[in-house]
Amino acid sequence: MEKQEQVFCQSCGMPLTDDHYGKNADGSVNSDYCQYCFADGAFTSDVTMDQMIEECLQYLDDFNKDSEQKMTPDQAREQMKQFFPTLKRWQA
Ligand SMILES: [Zn+2]
């Protein structure tokens, strides 16, 4: 059986599921970004990569709750600083 590839929001790095996709200006689904980052054809907030990382750290408790590997804010920040530059939004 083929392993399904996990898709991540190309802005905040959260795993994308069918009901979390962003929407284009014409109402169609944007498969690159989640609904929190991208709505009606535009990014919902004009942030830098570092600001996005700090924003995501606010949800670390939620993430740890569902994860076997508990991360400290410092560990999470380091991991995101490695991961985010690979995302489409931050490659420009
Ligand atoms: Zn996102």
Side-chain angles (χ1 to χ4, degrees):
M1 213 168 90
E2 207 174 316
K3 190 162 170 267
Q4 200 177 356
E5 208 175 320
Q6 178 74 67
V7 182
F8 298 98
C9 171
Q10 296 296 304
S11 166
C12 69
M14 83 164 202
L16 279 173
T17 53
D18 281 347
D19 47 349
H20 284 104
Y21 285 116
K23 292 279 171 64
N24 294 314
D26 62 4
S28 62
V29 167
N30 184 298
S31 56
D32 282 335
Y33 301 111
C34 75
Q35 60 183 355
Y36 307 110
C37 292
F38 196 85
D40 301 323
F43 289 113
T44 54
S45 61
D46 187 18
V47 292
T48 66
M49 191 178 81
D50 285 338
Q51 286 170 328
M52 179 63 83
I53 288 174
E54 293 307 315
E55 228 168 271
C56 289
L57 282 174
Q58 295 173 20
Y59 304 103
L60 182 62
D61 286 345
D62 279 346
F63 177 83
N64 278 339
K65 206 171 53 188
D66 299 329
S67 172
E68 298 213 343
Q69 188 197 359
K70 313 292 180 204
M71 279 193 290
T72 68
D74 280 345
Q75 287 173 322
R77 186 182 288 112
E78 274 314 301
Q79 208 172 78
M80 285 192 277
K81 283 192 171 174
Q82 303 275 322
F83 178 47
F84 275 39
T86 70
L87 300 174
K88 198 184 272 184
R89 184 176 181 184
W90 313 116
Q91 280 183 351

